[in-house]
Amino acid sequence: MTVPTSGDAIAAANREALRRILASEPVLVDVRLAKDAIPQLPDRTILHAGPPIGWDRMCGPMRGAVAGAIVFEGWAPDLEAASRLAASGEIRFEPNHHYDAVGPMTGMTTRNMAVLVVENRAFGNRAFCTVNEGIGNVMRFGGNDREVIDRLKWMAAVAGPALGAAIRNRDGVPLKPLIARGLAMGDEMHMRNAACSSLILRELAGDLADTATRDLGRILRFVAGNDMFFLNVAMAMAKATVAPAHGIAHSTVVTTMARNGTDFGIRVSGTGDRWFTGPAQPAKGLLFAGFTEADANPDIGDSCITETVGLGGFAMAASPAVVGFIGAGTLADAIGYTRSMREITLGTNTDWALPTLDMMGVPTAIDIRKVLATGLLPVINTAIANRLPGRGQIGAGVVHPPLACFEQALVAFADMNGAN
Amino acid sequence: METDKLLQMEVRVVNIGLREFARDLERCNVPVVHLDWSPPAVINPRISELLAKLGG
């Protein structure tokens, strides 16, 4: 007969998970092509955001992005042929998370795209995220025309290598202190990255000037013109930070939250690589002029990896500016969101202090048991994508995972730990 | 007690639910008794049973 895992064993495992998250030392170390950074990434494979999904269930933006990624890689000559190829079963689709990667919105990652490389120097693991393309007509929102493809090729051939050389020239950019400063300057690192985007450009500008061999002005304008440049850095940072906390027996800590535009999926440290999914929810927030809720795609993207390490919606108290942008109410409401997330987490990260909460650290390490016991679902700040491919962002808001993810996870955890 | 006189007296608080509200009052030196309670968020009895076994 299996002896049920004791509450003490769970508490010890969770303390270890929290310790690893807090001890992490993420450093941006490189920008490389995905095929070099992630050599195990196969050819004719597309990594996407969220839990596993096939072409038949993909939402509009995801399908648009997939078609664009196929043309980008040269696997098909045009978008029509690309869609046929995607539907034929000859392209392999896998979650970014299966390769220690993450990607915003549709989250396309293929072998010839440039990816940011973040190394967790406390544990030696690495995580990856594509470079943010900017705003407007971009692949992360399903954009796939010539403008999108050409920009991605320039990023892979010019901007990516230049950023990589600049980062290597100064032995990397430590991200924990940079984010601490960003929080004090009003970023929450999911829907507001204005401060950290500026800070990292300031860090890299001199090295870029020393090492860039062409297009220096364009590269500087590319980064400086995009307040969300740092989002992808923060995502790779978050993935590198939480990864060592994954796979700890008896731990009930959430190590992955991700959406593919159809399903929301979570993974839990003590239940290994199994996904627990439910329907992706509509975000509640503000839509840009001229759009209605009928235009909005359900929740999509790996970007809520930031919330798993206490940023984004969990750090909303840091960011008065984001509260208005996402329609989340007042600053007092934002502080309330952050406080409520303390109810479902195991601790706080005092390296990332919140000025509006008397320098309380951000709430860190979501415990599925606390979510279920309180009924408080994780708060996620998010962009809202047009449900049509390539039409871009139509708003921003707050969204939650479905409760079903946590219920499934608890049942599976109980099965594994002799409690059923 | 007439409610309009309530806050003219010494305020003694029992906080039920979110602990942070009690902590806020404590920071302001307001005496507060916190009752660790939450509404029955879990409607699924199976989940309630597992939570009772697994703690948290």
Side-chain angles (χ1 to χ4, degrees), chain A residues 5 7 10 339-340 342-343 358 360 367-370 372-376 403 407 410-411 413-415 417 419-420, chain B residues 17-21 23-24 27 34 36 38-44 46-56:
Chain A
T5 301
I10 296 171
R339 278 193 176 131
S340 69
R342 184 66 191 90
E343 299 288 325
D358 205 14
M360 181 185 98
D367 183 343
I368 56 169
R369 296 172 307 165
K370 289 176 181 285
L372 289 165
T374 62
L376 290 170
L403 187 68
E407 291 180 337
L410 188 76
V411 170
F413 182 88
D415 281 340
N417 288 275
N420 256 339
Chain B
L18 292 177
R19 187 181 297 277
E20 277 302 312
F21 292 122
R23 288 187 181 133
D24 280 347
R27 286 186 198 113
H34 175 68
D36 190 6
S38 59
V42 180
I43 297 168
N44 184 337
R46 171 107 181 87
I47 298 298
S48 297
E49 180 193 335
L50 293 179
L51 285 173
K53 286 181 182 172
L54 295 168

